[in-house]
Amino acid sequence: AVAGTGSGKTEATGIASLLLRKVFDEPTGVTVMFVPLTGIIWELFDNEKIPTIAVDIGGQMYGKKNGLRVLLYEDDVLSGDYILLIMHPESLMNNQVEALMLKLKINQKILGVFIDEFHIMLPRHWQSFRPEMEEQTGRLRVFLRKGAPTGALSATATQEDVSMTNQTLGLKSEPVLLAENPLQSHFKFVMMQRQSDNYGFDGYMDQNSKFHPGLLDQLKRIYIDEYVRCIEDKLEPKHAIIFFR
């Protein structure tokens, strides 16, 4: 899913974790979510509606009991009291966390996995200083029970990011892409001053032989010239939607 910040992507993950228990008829199953930022992990942890386990970078697990944050152990996770398991991708490198994931896999308890801000793990983003993020994310699907879904969430991912993530996850078919329409980084969004109507559509030459460009000249600069070059070079021109007020 590619949708803007605040559109409800992470909240949808919590809802999905509840639904997946019903889909698989597994009342003690869990959904695993990879989150790149510690702040977001604790923000999701404080969701009172979805019983959540937060795993820190060192592998310690925390949950809530009677409204208080408490340290959890393997049996707490396996009990089914918690629905959502949230961690950094690198937490999977911890032996204790990996052992827990393997036990959940053996018991077919992992009903779905979600990756928040999936584009961050890729080249041109954070891969240079957190290289293990992509590697560990690529391992995540091996813990799933058969038929369990994989979800990837982002506010700014491009189509290239989607394709690269598809490869990282080892998906054999193209993913279903849910995208809202406003602005993502693969759209060019520009606001500029409109040419004055005093110059007419084509512009005009004043008595001092000075040309004053009109609306057509502005259109040429922002789109038409590039469109013509693409046609001449037998390239697919970019699509554009231009609004004038």
Side-chain angles (χ1 to χ4, degrees), residues 2-5 7 155 179-189:
V2 179
T5 301
S7 60
E180 71 171 3
N181 191 15
L183 308 172
Q184 307 300 335
S185 58
H186 50 299
F187 292 111
K188 184 177 182 180
F189 179 70

Side-chain angles (χ1 to χ4, degrees), residues 134-157:
E134 183 180 19
E135 178 185 348
Q136 298 306 317
T137 301
R139 296 178 58 210
L140 186 55
R141 294 184 66 249
V142 304
F143 299 100
L144 283 169
R145 68 178 288 166
K146 186 176 180 180
T150 299
L153 316 172
S154 173
T156 59

Side-chain angles (χ1 to χ4, degrees), residues 118-119 122-124 157-167 186:
F118 64 86
H119 66 282
L122 301 171
R124 299 183 292 106
T158 65
Q159 184 58 55
E160 181 183 5
D161 293 332
V162 173
S163 298
M164 294 179 69
T165 301
N166 199 36
Q167 295 177 6
H186 50 299

Side-chain angles (χ1 to χ4, degrees), residues 17 68-69 83 85 128 136 139-141 184 192 242:
S17 64
L68 300 175
R69 182 187 299 185
I83 298 174
L85 179 63
S128 60
Q136 298 306 317
R139 296 178 58 210
L140 186 55
R141 294 184 66 249
Q184 307 300 335
M192 61 180 64
I242 303 172

Side-chain angles (χ1 to χ4, degrees), residues 93-220:
M93 300 169 64
N94 180 277
N95 291 335
Q96 178 182 335
V97 175
E98 184 175 29
L100 171 64
M101 294 289 286
L102 286 171
K103 186 164 288 189
L104 289 168
K105 171 184 170 65
I106 291 170
N107 290 282
Q108 299 190 63
K109 297 292 186 182
I110 299 182
L111 310 181
V113 296
F114 289 86
I115 304 149
D116 188 41
E117 300 298 350
F118 64 86
H119 66 282
I120 285 179
M121 67 179 173
L122 301 171
R124 299 183 292 106
H125 296 285
W126 290 10
Q127 192 187 66
S128 60
F129 65 93
R130 288 178 68 177
E132 295 87 0
M133 187 184 295
E134 183 180 19
E135 178 185 348
Q136 298 306 317
T137 301
R139 296 178 58 210
L140 186 55
R141 294 184 66 249
V142 304
F143 299 100
L144 283 169
R145 68 178 288 166
K146 186 176 180 180
T150 299
L153 316 172
S154 173
T156 59
T158 65
Q159 184 58 55
E160 181 183 5
D161 293 332
V162 173
S163 298
M164 294 179 69
T165 301
N166 199 36
Q167 295 177 6
T168 296
L169 296 175
L171 300 177
K172 296 179 180 179
S173 58
E174 286 298 312
V176 175
L177 179 61
L178 304 177
E180 71 171 3
N181 191 15
L183 308 172
Q184 307 300 335
S185 58
H186 50 299
F187 292 111
K188 184 177 182 180
F189 179 70
V190 179
M191 295 181 66
M192 61 180 64
Q193 182 73 35
R194 174 181 168 149
Q195 295 294 124
S196 172
D197 289 335
N198 294 333
Y199 303 146
F201 185 76
D202 297 326
Y204 82 102
M205 190 79 69
D206 66 20
Q207 59 185 4
N208 297 318
S209 300
K210 180 180 179 181
F211 180 72
H212 297 269
L215 188 58
L216 179 61
D217 182 76
Q218 189 173 33
L219 281 169
K220 282 168 55 64

Side-chain angles (χ1 to χ4, degrees), residues 28-96:
T28 61
V30 298
T31 296
V32 178
M33 187 176 186
F34 271 1
V35 176
L37 297 174
T38 300
I40 298 177
I41 289 178
W42 293 114
E43 181 180 324
L44 295 171
F45 175 79
D46 287 331
N47 186 342
E48 300 293 340
K49 297 178 181 178
I50 307 295
T52 300
I53 297 170
V55 183
D56 68 18
I57 197 69
Q60 294 284 352
M61 297 181 292
Y62 298 89
K64 282 188 177 181
K65 292 184 178 181
N66 299 320
L68 300 175
R69 182 187 299 185
V70 296
L71 191 64
L72 298 182
Y73 300 93
E74 185 178 279
D75 288 343
D76 296 306
V77 182
L78 299 173
S79 69
D81 293 338
Y82 297 91
I83 298 174
L84 191 59
L85 179 63
I86 304 176
M87 68 181 81
H88 292 286
E90 295 93 335
S91 295
L92 196 54
M93 300 169 64
N94 180 277
N95 291 335
Q96 178 182 335

